[in-house]
Amino acid sequence: MKKTDKVYEISYNSKESIDLLKELDDEQRAAVLEEKGISLIIAGPGSGKTKTITYKIAYLVSRRVKPHEILLVTFTRAAAREMIHRAQQVSRSKLDGMLAGTFHHVCNYLLRKYAHVLKLDSNFSILDEEDAKTLVKHARGLVVSKEEKFPSPSLIRKLISLSANLGKPMEDVIEERFPYLYPVTDRLKEVKEKYERLKIEQLSLDYDDLLNYTNDLLNVEEVRIKEASRFKWVLVDEFQDTNKIQCDIVKKLSSVHHNLMVVGDDAQSIYSFRGARYENIFDISKEKGVKVHKIQTNYRSSPEIVSLINSVIPNNVFKKKLKSVRPASTRPVVISTWDSFEESEFVSSRIMELVNEGVPEEEIAVLYRAHAHSMDLQLELSKSNIPFIVKSGVKFTESRHVKDLLSFLRVLNNPRDTLSWIRLLQLFTGIGRKGANIVVNALQNETDPISLIKGISKFGRKYEIVGDIFKELSGEQSPSEVLEKVYKSFYSDYLAMTFNDFHDRQLDIERLIEIAGRYENQIAFLSDLAVTEDMDLKREEYQKEGKVTLTTVHQAKGLEWDIVFVLAINPGDFPSIMALKVGNFEEEQRIFYVAITRARKQLYLCRQMGGSRNLVYGNKMAINGSEYDLIDMIPPSLYEHWSVK
């Protein structure tokens, strides 16, 4: 324990633990002091929600509630560990017997305990996501032939999971989110049935089963009453991220004593794509006798940043107004550049200035709506020798779909590039490693490999489509022209049928084509990418010195930095074109809200005035741009405006 940590004696005979409560502000204290009933805590960003939950546990222990009578549910194991550790320190109690952890952890505990009720074997195995995909692949093989074009195991697994989390039949999920799969709905349902049967045969449950089986278990009155009687208090963190099933489980476990505290911020609900319902917060607020507390003192951000945050609180959420207690700093800055290339140059240059001024690299973050928006910046940071870490996914030159597409360019420039040949050939239905090696061996003996590329169909009918694609390509074409032809001729379909996040990967490919459009010849383009990959390797030496963080907003949730840049705040980029097409602008507002609330001292908001060659990216799209412009929603008096020329 650090010397600065304070430990407070708790008097079990006093009505209140005065020393304990001194550590809380008025809003936190009011939430902690609720003696009974349902409490909804609307916790603004940086307001100390973890502290509130921690002190609630300590306070309950001080009021003679035994640890085993408290249930704490969080969304990550790390959050549960942190809260328990801090509660142990504050309460000076080991909290022995307290059940705390993620929903899946709690469900696993209950299912093991009552396996006999559901006629489960108590030694059932739990499939992690990779195991689940492997079993789906097996089920798929029982329904679909190897030569047939059909959704990948990964995509099928996502469909099954969404169906479970949304509580909807698979056909409804397909109709709403994957309409292009409608023609194979019946066969997808057949794969799902095989998958469910295989799990039963192997005595296995996946993560979604843990939730669904527990919900069914708690419908058994004897079990529900016994467990709900044990838990005198149920505490839930990040309640805005719960789905319908998780909300039902929480209600059932608190159905005897009716002492429930849920903590969350509906303005930060950004996971509807995986079934989360921010509406759960509104549903709880309508429960009989519920007490709503708002903790709105922001301990994270400067007054200038907090003022901007207050101006863009999303629609249709609980009203709140954050208050900052930090020293004054500089106003946030809106930067206007012409395109993403200028934007990346500005961000790279500004980061270098900040580092030279003494800001540690690890205190700087660049956030974006989609991973594709980081590509230009990755190249620019590499050229400028600025160490960075990409938390939103692998570096784009290393991502599977980008490497797939680049392999066509590489073999055009070097027909003896066996690795690229093997990679691209196996993208086609019916060609495996063995068939790819046959072509590779022929290339090594061919005096004119370019001719062989054009005549590759001579190896058999399944190679004809490969040969047809290469007949349209040449080393004299621009790199963007080659990539676009390959993408449109077959890879776009491959992408949709292979990846469950194909929309994001589609954006990656379109951005790659856009970057390639700046180069006249293929060698120059491939050389620049090679330099970037070389820099990726060299960057390992900076591991101990700190790195700038590049990440999507979704993966930045819960994190904070002194300096934050937000890229590509243009209609179509951020907010996402996909969200706008389905009328989900409100969630885009919440994602933007999460982004700007990550900054402590300085905030830079980047917008592109010229758009891009692809209308899906720019703010010159066939959508009313001003209506969806997140920057236009901020009063100009709250920020400085810099124009990059």
Side-chain angles (χ1 to χ4, degrees), residues 2-44:
K2 298 178 182 177
K3 292 182 179 179
T4 54
D5 289 339
K6 297 181 180 180
V7 176
Y8 298 90
E9 295 289 348
I10 297 178
S11 172
Y12 290 97
N13 298 318
S14 63
K15 186 174 182 180
E16 296 179 356
S17 304
I18 303 299
D19 287 338
L20 179 72
L21 300 177
K22 281 182 179 178
E23 290 299 294
L24 305 172
D25 64 32
D26 292 343
E27 294 168 332
Q28 295 166 342
R29 188 179 301 113
V32 167
L33 281 175
E34 287 292 350
E35 293 282 349
K36 60 182 180 178
I38 301 175
S39 299
L40 169 60
I41 316 300
I42 303 296

Side-chain angles (χ1 to χ4, degrees), residues 397 400 402-428 431-433 436-437 439-440 443-444 453 456 466 470 486 490-491 526 533:
T397 52
R400 177 179 164 186
V402 170
K403 293 188 80 167
D404 285 347
L405 214 57
L406 288 176
S407 64
F408 288 84
L409 263 183
R410 289 189 166 123
V411 299
L412 276 177
N413 283 271
N414 176 17
R416 299 191 189 280
D417 184 339
T418 58
L419 289 178
S420 292
W421 265 116
I422 290 172
R423 182 181 200 96
L424 78 84
L425 286 169
Q426 291 183 95
L427 298 175
F428 296 88
I431 302 178
R433 184 86 184 190
N437 281 326
V439 176
V440 167
L443 282 172
Q444 293 174 343
I453 291 176
I456 197 172
V466 188
F470 274 102
V486 174
F490 106 98
Y491 197 76
L526 291 172
E533 291 175 342

Side-chain angles (χ1 to χ4, degrees), residues 335 337-348 373 377 511 566-570 605-608 644:
I335 299 95
T337 63
W338 177 248
D339 56 18
S340 61
F341 183 66
E342 274 191 358
E343 178 181 83
S344 62
E345 285 187 324
F346 164 79
V347 173
S348 178
H373 300 153
L377 183 60
R511 183 55 57 91
V566 186
L567 300 184
I569 309 173
N570 323 300
L605 306 176
C606 303
R607 70 191 310 184
Q608 299 159 19
V644 176

Side-chain angles (χ1 to χ4, degrees), residues 49-62:
K49 73 175 179 65
T50 298
K51 184 177 184 180
T52 302
I53 296 173
T54 296
Y55 277 72
K56 181 70 174 184
I57 296 169
Y59 180 70
L60 291 174
V61 172
S62 80

Side-chain angles (χ1 to χ4, degrees), residues 10 104 121 176 272 279 305 340 354 377 445 477 486 488 494 503 509 521 525 552 611:
I10 297 178
H104 293 114
D121 188 311
E176 293 171 9
S272 67
E279 295 90 346
I305 293 175
S340 61
L354 291 166
L377 183 60
N445 302 319
Q477 294 168 341
V486 174
K488 289 182 177 179
Y494 175 86
H503 283 306
I509 296 298
N521 67 77
F525 175 60
T552 60

